[in-house]
Amino acid sequence: MDVNDFKILLVDDETDVLDFMKYNLEKEGFWVYTAQNGVEAIQMAKKMNPHLIILDLMMPKMDGIETCRELRNIPEFKNTIITFLTARDEDYSQIAGFEVGADDYITKPIKPRVFISRIRALLRRLETNETAGKITVGDIEVDRERYLIIKAGKEISLPRKEFELLNLLISKPGRVFKREEILSKVWGNDTIVGDRTIDVHIRKLREKIGDDYFKTIKGIGYKFDA
Amino acid sequence: MDVNDFKILLVDDETDVLDFMKYNLEKEGFWVYTAQNGVEAIQMAKKMNPHLIILDLMMPKMDGIETCRELRNIPEFKNTIITFLTARDEDYSQIAGFEVGADDYITKPIKPRVFISRIRALLRRLETNETAGKITVGDIEVDRERYLIIKAGKEISLPRKEFELLNLLISKPGRVFKREEILSKVWGNDTIVGDRTIDVHIRKLREKIGDDYFKTIKGIGYKFDA
DNA sequence: AAAGTCTGTTAACCTTTGCTTAACGTTCAA
DNA sequence: TTGAACGTTAAGCAAAGGTTAACAGACTTT
């Protein structure tokens, strides 16, 4: 599944916030659909079957919590990823959110880069067998919550891009990821970066983790192998 | 399938919008056809058999929804990708759109880059099933995902051209592929390579996999046989 | 605010690999 | 038998990737 096949439903009553998120997500190639309140959201969700729903907590009529609860009662949305959008310091709401079956929450104000990479991480769950925030392949453990990996008991922290690249490759060990695929999934759909960028990041990963884990398929891309 | 083989039908009553989209799509190498209303659209679609239809929602006579419904009733368009074109904030119409079998909608105003990448993503759906997955013939297994072949449990990795050549031949075991067919499918339509190039690659495959798998049909081409 | 650190990206250069070709040898069908 | 078609080999070349350092921008720290 390609980044471009992911459908995201945004639900927020503030048009500004909606537009801002939509703009940023579309720039990355996601399908974005919107709704302005809980009722609309549920209607829309039924029609388009989104992979991910981002729900604002504070909404008139039916708030995020309530909407989420209703969504979770509909069988086809049992496995849809639902994320809340909350103002910072609304800790209490977060707890309530997890109680009704949210997978994550995102705090406002939204910073585009962090926002996007968070969305990517969430959607990656659908593609892989990943259940929680961890994955172990061979002697490498990836802790997606803390942005670090553990090799032979030793913690290694990685910068965002390196981490996301590793995370992508390791999500399907052995499978070859084409360069363009890597670009679209880690960098974003319309990003234009130089030819050597991926290589450099691969090199850094090889440096930190070990040469043999990363195999080059010339003319195609890379794969992770234990 | 090449980008340049994709046929797109644009349907909109506003000539400006039509021209704008057409310009942007043709610049990318797509074949673009146009219609100004629903009736025309259906006529045109029957003639040219498009891969993708972009329908404006608001049109005189027969609107987008209605046109879509009619198209979906024609068997040959059951699998055609249909997308709506709608003004922002017409969320309700979007819902109606999905009901009649639309695959997506695109909001106006159209931003060229987002527009194009969205079209590409849609068309990618048509392509994906062609090259994915595994194929096993006799004791040879071709794993396209991992980009390697397995013979008697032993993994053999092949350079790109060799892999693609094997992949082509093995896709229809026993069938003879003409030299020119091999050239156009593995090397590309416009590539000009010498006479011996194919032979050399066949030789390498024979070396790595075994002589008897590849049969030469003199004057015609090659075939794969177990 | 300034200095310093950390990331991501690029440019320039180097290394490796796979593709192609040329030249010659072999086969096979008419 | 003979020549067109294919087989084989090694060598040259170009393309793809590897490597390094340097730089700009973001983020931290002081």
Side-chain angles (χ1 to χ4, degrees), chain B residues 159 161 187 193-194 196-197 200-201 218:
Chain B
K161 282 269 148 65
W187 271 263
V193 286
R196 298 274 64 70
T197 303
V200 173
H201 281 88
K218 236 187 150 170

Side-chain angles (χ1 to χ4, degrees), chain A residues 179 196 199-200 203 206 216 218-219 222:
Chain A
R179 280 172 162 265
R196 298 274 66 70
D199 314 71
V200 173
R203 201 200 147 266
R206 296 215 247 236
T216 307
K218 251 191 144 173
Y222 295 92

Side-chain angles (χ1 to χ4, degrees), chain A residues 166-177:
Chain A
L166 169 64
N167 200 25
L168 174 67
L169 295 180
I170 212 171
S171 68
K172 296 230 170 198
R175 125 136 220 240
V176 177
F177 289 85

Side-chain angles (χ1 to χ4, degrees), chain B residues 79-135:
Chain B
N79 295 314
T80 306
I81 298 176
I82 299 181
T83 298
F84 280 110
L85 204 60
T86 110
R88 192 181 287 257
D89 306 326
E90 277 187 278
D91 283 331
Y92 188 74
S93 320
Q94 284 166 26
I95 293 170
F98 287 117
E99 251 163 27
V100 293
D103 295 283
D104 191 40
Y105 73 91
I106 293 173
T107 50
K108 298 185 204 175
I110 293 165
K111 294 170 195 162
R113 299 185 67 180
V114 175
F115 179 61
I116 294 296
S117 78
R118 198 126 181 189
I119 299 301
R120 282 240 171 71
L122 280 172
L123 292 174
R124 206 169 294 137
R125 287 188 195 168
L126 295 175
E127 280 193 308
T128 34
N129 306 334
E130 278 176 26
T131 44
K134 283 182 188 178
I135 196 173

Side-chain angles (χ1 to χ4, degrees), chain A:
Chain A
M1 181 124 91
D2 195 62
V3 177
N4 302 287
D5 295 325
F6 285 122
K7 290 179 287 189
I8 301 176
L9 173 59
L10 300 177
V11 190
D12 199 322
D13 57 310
E14 292 165 79
T15 315
D16 293 349
V17 183
L18 222 47
D19 285 350
F20 180 68
M21 291 193 293
K22 187 175 180 184
Y23 170 76
N24 280 288
L25 289 169
E26 283 188 338
K27 216 174 56 177
E28 301 298 316
F30 297 108
W31 305 123
V32 181
Y33 306 83
T34 58
Q36 305 244 30
N37 59 62
V39 184
E40 246 182 50
I42 290 170
Q43 276 190 315
M44 193 60 152
K46 280 182 184 163
K47 300 302 171 220
M48 55 164 284
N49 244 81
H51 298 94
L52 169 69
I53 301 173
I54 301 179
L55 278 175
D56 188 38
L57 215 60
M58 300 298 189
M59 284 188 303
K61 284 191 196 172
M62 198 194 289
D63 71 6
I65 303 274
E66 192 48 40
T67 311
C68 181
R69 203 195 318 270
E70 294 231 356
L71 281 167
R72 284 293 188 224
N73 280 335
I74 301 168
E76 56 189 303
F77 302 125
K78 278 276 192 300
N79 296 312
T80 306
I81 298 175
I82 299 180
T83 299
F84 280 111
L85 205 59
T86 109
R88 199 178 285 260
D89 308 325
E90 277 186 280
D91 285 331
Y92 183 74
S93 320
Q94 283 167 26
I95 294 169
F98 286 118
E99 251 163 30
V100 293
D103 296 281
D104 193 24
Y105 69 91
I106 293 173
T107 50
K108 297 187 207 174
I110 294 165
K111 291 175 192 165
R113 302 181 67 178
V114 178
F115 179 60
I116 294 295
S117 77
R118 193 119 179 202
I119 300 301
R120 284 228 176 77
L122 282 172
L123 290 174
R124 209 168 285 134
R125 288 190 194 171
L126 291 175
E127 287 196 295
T128 63
N129 356 324
E130 193 186 339
T131 41
K134 283 184 185 176
I135 193 176
T136 307
V137 177
D139 60 342
I140 307 280
E141 187 188 326
V142 178
D143 187 332
R144 283 155 160 144
E145 237 107 89
R146 296 197 290 154
Y147 263 69
L148 51 81
I149 65 158
I150 297 156
K151 187 194 171 184
K154 227 180 81 188
E155 291 192 352
I156 307 173
S157 75
L158 297 175
R160 190 164 271 110
K161 279 268 145 66
E162 283 167 49
F163 185 86
E164 278 169 15
L165 175 53
L166 169 64
N167 200 25
L168 174 67
L169 295 180
I170 212 171
S171 68
K172 296 230 170 198
R175 125 136 220 240
V176 177
F177 289 85
K178 294 183 192 153
R179 280 172 162 265
E180 47 169 335
E181 195 182 352
I182 294 175
L183 271 182
S184 86
K185 289 195 177 161
V186 176
W187 271 263
N189 205 47
D190 63 1
T191 325
I192 298 150
V193 286
D195 257 8
R196 298 274 66 70
T197 303
I198 295 180
D199 314 71
V200 173
H201 282 85
I202 288 283
R203 201 200 147 266
K204 287 178 181 167
L205 286 176
R206 296 215 247 236
E207 211 170 47
K208 288 172 186 168
I209 295 167
D211 266 20
D212 347 312
Y213 293 98
F214 304 90
K215 276 204 175 156
T216 307
I217 315 297
K218 251 191 144 173
I220 310 291
Y222 295 92
K223 68 173 168 178
F224 181 93
D225 244 333

